Amino acid sequence: MSSQTFEFGKNFRNFLKGILNSPKQSVHVDFKLDDNEIQGNIFGFNKPFQVLLKVMFNEDLASSESVLKNISEKLTSIKNVKSYRKKRRSNPELISSEVWANAGFEIDKENPDKFDRKKILIILSSDRKEVLEKELENLKKEFERLPAELKISPMGQRLPGNKEHFGFKDGISQPFVPGLTKKKNLVGYGELPNLPGDYIFGYPSSREEDQTPFFGSLASKNGSLLVYLQLKQNTKEFDEYLTRAVIELKKKYSDLKISKGWLAAKLMGRWKDGTPIEQTESENKYGLGCPFSSHIHKAYPRRKLNTIPITKSRILRRGIPYGDSQDKKAEKGLLFICYQTSLKSQFEFIYGNMLDSDFPLPNSGFDPFGPKNSRLGNTTIFTLPLRNQDGTIVHELLEIPKFVELITGGYFFMPSISYFNSIINTFGEK
Ligand code: HEM
């Protein structure tokens, strides 16, 4: 079993003392990640093709036992993923014909401390589309014979340069979790390591306070909570909006170098190639470089917020785009997936802030990539701080169409591999 021992440095200890509000506490964190037990997509399958299946059984679970045992044999651990990555490093051309699988149970909406063993999420991933499609076909046939309802996501497919459909490079900023993520991805506050228990149950966590009874118990050890959202992206509307808005802005601010790429970067908070927007400290103070309501700033504000311990509210993003980028008519979007150990303090905190104009500061504006929302309507207000020719700062309020639509989604518990198997083994019992 590969393992990780990590001792946090002085800076991090001081930082933790601050957020845990216990100045005398000395934080020495020593842990071994159980790579054999943790499901591999938490580390990141990162395969070119991926699909999600949700299977909902009626009461007759016994008949599903053999199909699910078949799935449980395919469950791919972090150890499997790491050893495959190692092989690929020495042979970058390597293309595997394997199908990787992860599986978990839907969390009961009424009672978020419980999961429903009759509602199962399966994630299948492969290097080869035809192999994945064949596996999917076989599974479909098997499930169709059972008293179960099946929902299948569109085929997730990575785009060249790891971009999403609006054309931005994705997967850049992730929290640094020793043993789980690479240090080279660090940006801003992300340079401080996060604790593994913020993403996987049973390890030291910076948020012991919100562990609910089941998810704080031994049974949840090596498991994680997954949020899945199928987000449709209206790429045509996005492009048309940029064209229109740039014409208007240029009329008003003829001295500024305004282009579609520039406006897109303001909305996202990054240039399309992933580079951060360069800004001086004073520009940062007023949001003149990277606006406060840009997507990345909403999701992870790069500024000191005294009241909100932002570093406790990060997520491991493991999404994949879907839809053919070359086909203008095809539906396109993102199969958004993230992992955490508290829905409330992590995913819901970020998602709620995207739709809250007063975060991170009063009147910051809404996240332009926040999904359409019946309460908030089909357009949103984006606040773009700009400097006038006379040096004054103006806040241009842009009314923009919502480019993102929530199609479906859910919350799931992704247990350790042995706990998943132990649950499946109870299906045959009367
Ligand atoms: C279709 C909708 C979305 C698109 C196109 C999108 C795209 C992106 C892109 C391009 C980045 C910057 C690249 C990176 O830092 O990895 C990013 C960052 C991020 N997104 Fe999204 N995203 C979407 C929805 C969401 C949702 C629903 C959430 C969570 C509730 C979310 C959370 C985040 C977070 C936490 C970051 C990292 C922020 C940072 O640390 O800088 N995104 N997203």
Side-chain angles (χ1 to χ4, degrees), residues 164-175 187 229 231-233 268 270 274 295-300 302 313-315 317 333-334 336 338 346-348 350-352 354 367 369-371 403-405:
E164 50 70 49
H165 280 290
F166 293 136
F168 294 91
K169 192 173 166 59
D170 205 353
I172 303 167
S173 171
Q174 300 278 13
V187 278
L229 304 177
L231 297 168
K232 181 177 160 189
Q233 293 174 254
M268 181 54 78
R270 275 185 194 281
H295 178 57
I296 68 153
H297 225 296
K298 280 290 227 189
Y300 185 39
R302 308 299 202 268
S313 302
R314 304 202 71 196
I315 47 178
R317 286 176 301 132
L334 182 67
F336 175 92
C338 71
Q346 292 170 282
F347 168 76
E348 287 179 355
I350 299 171
Y351 196 74
M354 288 170 81
D367 186 325
F369 301 99
F403 314 114
V404 177
E405 201 178 321

Side-chain angles (χ1 to χ4, degrees), residues 279-286:
Q279 53 185 353
T280 61
E281 223 166 273
S282 88
E283 283 171 334
N284 182 23
K285 192 168 162 203
Y286 300 109

Side-chain angles (χ1 to χ4, degrees), residues 31-140:
F31 65 91
K32 290 180 199 303
L33 275 190
D34 201 345
D35 286 359
N36 277 312
E37 279 288 356
I38 304 167
Q39 301 210 38
N41 198 36
I42 299 173
F43 185 70
F45 279 169
N46 214 9
K47 292 266 184 198
F49 303 100
Q50 183 156 301
V51 72
L52 288 89
L53 289 82
K54 188 172 152 190
V55 198
M56 287 153 288
F57 293 103
N58 68 17
E59 289 308 318
D60 180 17
L61 288 172
S63 57
S64 62
E65 201 187 350
S66 69
V67 188
L68 290 173
K69 281 213 164 132
N70 198 355
I71 303 277
S72 71
E73 276 160 25
K74 289 197 175 73
L75 289 187
T76 311
S77 67
I78 285 193
K79 186 173 183 191
N80 303 136
V81 177
K82 283 185 176 170
S83 76
Y84 177 73
R85 293 257 181 95
K86 201 170 166 195
K87 275 191 224 151
R88 261 205 96 161
R89 273 198 292 278
S90 52
N91 177 10
E93 304 300 311
L94 184 70
I95 293 185
S96 156
S97 292
E98 281 174 344
V99 173
W100 284 353
N102 272 182
F105 304 96
E106 187 159 42
I107 289 172
D108 190 336
K109 286 194 188 76
E110 303 302 311
N111 189 350
D113 188 36
K114 291 209 162 68
F115 62 87
D116 186 343
R117 59 186 201 135
K118 299 194 296 300
K119 294 183 183 154
I120 297 180
L121 177 80
I122 302 167
I123 305 176
L124 299 175
S125 257
S126 180
D127 285 345
R128 297 174 57 193
K129 194 175 180 184
E130 68 283 7
V131 174
L132 187 54
E133 282 170 341
K134 197 164 165 227
E135 178 75 27
L136 191 60
E137 235 3 80
N138 291 342
L139 270 180
K140 253 167 85 178

Side-chain angles (χ1 to χ4, degrees), residues 99-368:
V99 173
W100 284 353
N102 272 182
F105 304 96
E106 187 159 42
I107 289 172
D108 190 336
K109 286 194 188 76
E110 303 302 311
N111 189 350
D113 188 36
K114 291 209 162 68
F115 62 87
D116 186 343
R117 59 186 201 135
K118 299 194 296 300
K119 294 183 183 154
I120 297 180
L121 177 80
I122 302 167
I123 305 176
L124 299 175
S125 257
S126 180
D127 285 345
R128 297 174 57 193
K129 194 175 180 184
E130 68 283 7
V131 174
L132 187 54
E133 282 170 341
K134 197 164 165 227
E135 178 75 27
L136 191 60
E137 235 3 80
N138 291 342
L139 270 180
K140 253 167 85 178
K141 278 189 202 138
E142 293 202 54
F143 283 125
E144 273 161 12
R145 278 201 294 268
L146 299 173
E149 195 192 325
L150 189 64
K151 284 189 184 161
I152 303 176
S153 77
M155 176 64 75
Q157 192 159 336
R158 295 215 183 273
L159 303 178
N162 210 12
K163 298 208 160 173
E164 50 70 49
H165 280 290
F166 293 136
F168 294 91
K169 192 173 166 59
D170 205 353
I172 303 167
S173 171
Q174 300 278 13
F176 167 47
V177 192
L180 205 63
T181 52
K182 284 189 190 152
K183 218 170 181 169
K184 74 174 169 61
N185 288 337
L186 302 184
V187 278
Y189 283 157
E191 281 157 30
L192 297 163
N194 274 221
L195 292 166
D198 297 346
Y199 307 93
I200 306 167
F201 293 112
Y203 295 93
S205 157
S206 54
R207 295 181 339 269
E208 302 296 346
E209 73 278 6
D210 59 13
Q211 298 255 330
T212 49
F214 170 76
F215 292 119
S217 76
L218 204 59
S220 67
K221 171 135 180 139
N222 290 315
S224 184
L225 301 178
L226 177 153
V227 175
Y228 162 59
L229 304 177
Q230 182 189 339
L231 297 168
K232 181 177 160 189
Q233 293 174 254
N234 196 332
T235 51
K236 187 164 169 273
E237 203 169 352
F238 180 64
D239 193 61
E240 287 170 356
Y241 169 74
L242 292 177
T243 309
R244 281 197 313 275
V246 163
I247 295 172
E248 291 308 311
L249 285 168
K250 273 184 168 173
K251 281 188 210 156
K252 265 177 115 171
Y253 304 94
S254 51
D255 57 316
L256 295 178
K257 276 191 186 160
I258 292 173
S259 65
K260 281 167 76 173
W262 174 88
L263 183 57
K266 292 282 182 185
L267 299 178
M268 181 54 78
R270 275 185 194 281
W271 295 95
K272 282 199 170 175
D273 66 2
T275 342
I277 299 177
E278 265 190 53
Q279 53 185 353
T280 61
E281 223 166 273
S282 88
E283 283 171 334
N284 182 23
K285 192 168 162 203
Y286 300 109
L288 283 164
C290 186
F292 298 133
S293 56
S294 62
H295 178 57
I296 68 153
H297 225 296
K298 280 290 227 189
Y300 185 39
R302 308 299 202 268
R303 54 187 1 253
K304 287 193 180 94
L305 297 163
N306 294 335
T307 49
I308 310 163
I310 291 297
T311 37
K312 287 184 179 189
S313 302
R314 304 202 71 196
I315 47 178
L316 284 174
R317 286 176 301 132
R318 301 293 183 230
I320 184 167
Y322 72 89
D324 184 349
S325 58
Q326 302 304 313
D327 179 352
K328 283 195 173 151
K329 289 192 181 139
E331 182 183 317
K332 299 168 189 74
L334 182 67
L335 303 177
F336 175 92
I337 292 177
C338 71
Y339 292 92
Q340 58 261 285
T341 46
S342 167
L343 296 167
K344 188 167 147 272
S345 305
Q346 292 170 282
F347 168 76
E348 287 179 355
F349 178 77
I350 299 171
Y351 196 74
N353 291 335
M354 288 170 81
L355 309 174
D356 176 3
S357 171
D358 291 333
F359 181 87
L361 298 169
N363 298 318
S364 296
F366 296 96
D367 186 325

